[in-house]
Amino acid sequence: MLLTLASGSLFFPGLFALSTWALRRSRPEWTFSDCVMIGTRVVSSVQAVLATGSGILIVRSCSNVISDRHWLAREYVWFLIPYMVYDIWAMYLCEWCRTSDQNLRCTLIFRNFLSQNRLMITHHVVILLILVPVAQKLRGDLGDFFVGCIFTAELSTPFVSLGRILIQHKQQHTLLFKVNGILTLVTFLICRILLFPFMYWSYGQQMGLSLFQVPFNIPFHCNVANGFLMAPQIYWFSLLCKKAARLFDPAQAKKNG
């Protein structure tokens, strides 16, 4: 546990520093703020690939979705804790970079950071204070399969990060941006929305229940927890759909073109 925590504490800040330094060396025409914000996207994407890969390995190894075990289900959570702490700091750093030319006081920058990132900060804090104890202690030796499923929700993150990088460099008119937008919607829908019915269906297959019988045959707090996890995903997906509608709206495209 301590070794994994220490590894994550060194890996994510180190990767950020390395990627930012490499961007500064390879793209001297980019500003420091550009390199910092892209560096944070690189780290988020790498973490997403690691989490998704871990999740797939766990899911594929658990033929019994209730009792089968895989060491990554616990170890990757310890590795993830430093990333969540780092990512809150990275969000603040990006906010500072965006407003650095406005000569704002640090307190105002911090208030803007809290105001504009309320949902994401809440998401990270809930993971650290509630989901980590549940995943590591309260669930006992059961449910590694479902932990693996939750890890795969990160599959959409590299596409989200690429989209933000393209926006940062004003590439919204390109084919790459549109293709990436479609991939973002598809991966987000599959791995962050349909993931929850899939977990219920998998449990039903194990227990001989239909999908619609599962919610009535599992503890109530499991349904509540899944509801709390799914709610922000639906909200974020609605925002993505609105952005996609504007992107493919002919009138808007003509205006931007």
Side-chain angles (χ1 to χ4, degrees):
M1 178 189 75
L2 292 178
L3 179 60
T4 309
L5 281 169
S7 298
S9 299
L10 293 173
F11 178 76
F12 294 113
L15 179 60
F16 167 73
L18 179 62
S19 58
T20 303
W21 174 81
L23 288 167
R24 290 284 285 171
R25 290 292 300 270
S26 61
R27 291 288 187 269
E29 69 275 14
W30 289 358
T31 66
F32 175 73
S33 295
D34 287 336
C35 295
V36 165
M37 287 192 276
I38 293 174
T40 62
R41 308 299 181 204
V42 170
V43 177
S44 296
S45 298
V46 170
Q47 191 284 135
V49 170
L50 293 174
T52 302
S54 299
I56 292 171
L57 285 174
I58 295 166
V59 168
R60 287 178 60 86
S61 71
C62 294
S63 55
N64 187 308
V65 303
I66 300 170
S67 60
D68 279 1
R69 307 295 309 282
H70 194 286
W71 64 273
L72 273 173
R74 291 193 184 278
E75 284 303 310
Y76 195 80
V77 173
W78 295 125
F79 191 65
L80 184 64
I81 291 173
Y83 170 77
M84 289 295 169
V85 177
Y86 150 83
D87 199 44
I88 293 174
W89 170 81
M91 286 189 288
Y92 174 77
L93 183 60
C94 288
E95 182 63 28
W96 181 85
C97 287
R98 278 192 291 267
T99 58
S100 59
D101 59 343
Q102 301 177 24
N103 296 320
L104 298 178
R105 296 172 58 185
C106 290
T107 54
L108 184 56
I109 294 174
F110 187 70
R111 283 205 301 268
N112 289 341
F113 161 68
L114 294 178
S115 175
Q116 296 180 17
N117 297 278
R118 282 194 302 265
L119 187 56
M120 188 61 74
I121 294 170
T122 302
H123 171 266
H124 283 31
V125 171
V126 167
I127 288 176
L128 289 171
L129 299 184
I130 298 177
L131 295 187
V132 167
V134 169
Q136 301 300 80
K137 297 294 182 183
L138 299 181
R139 69 183 178 90
D141 294 331
L142 304 176
D144 282 14
F145 173 87
F146 301 106
V147 174
C149 288
I150 296 298
F151 287 167
T152 65
E154 290 292 314
L155 180 61
S156 62
T157 298
F159 302 106
V160 173
S161 296
L162 177 58
R164 289 175 176 171
I165 291 172
L166 292 172
I167 291 172
Q168 182 179 336
H169 290 277
K170 298 179 172 58
Q171 298 296 307
Q172 298 96 313
H173 62 284
T174 62
L175 177 62
L176 174 60
F177 184 78
K178 294 181 178 180
V179 172
N180 183 73
I182 294 172
L183 291 173
T184 301
L185 282 175
V186 171
T187 54
F188 202 101
L189 175 64
I190 293 174
C191 293
R192 289 182 180 256
I193 307 295
L194 299 181
L195 172 70
F196 293 92
F198 170 74
M199 291 193 292
Y200 277 67
W201 175 82
S202 299
Y203 181 85
Q205 291 293 108
Q206 188 73 53
M207 303 301 293
L209 301 170
S210 71
L211 174 63
F212 300 104
Q213 291 176 313
V214 172
F216 305 101
N217 288 272
I218 61 175
F220 177 72
H221 65 267
C222 292
N223 290 316
V224 172
N226 284 325
F228 274 111
L229 287 173
M230 192 174 182
Q233 313 305 327
I234 294 175
Y235 172 73
W236 285 322
F237 184 68
S238 69
L239 295 182
L240 289 173
C241 288
K242 289 177 182 178
K243 291 180 181 178
R246 290 197 299 268
L247 176 64
F248 291 99
D249 178 32
Q252 187 69 26
K254 184 177 180 181
K255 180 179 177 181
N256 293 336

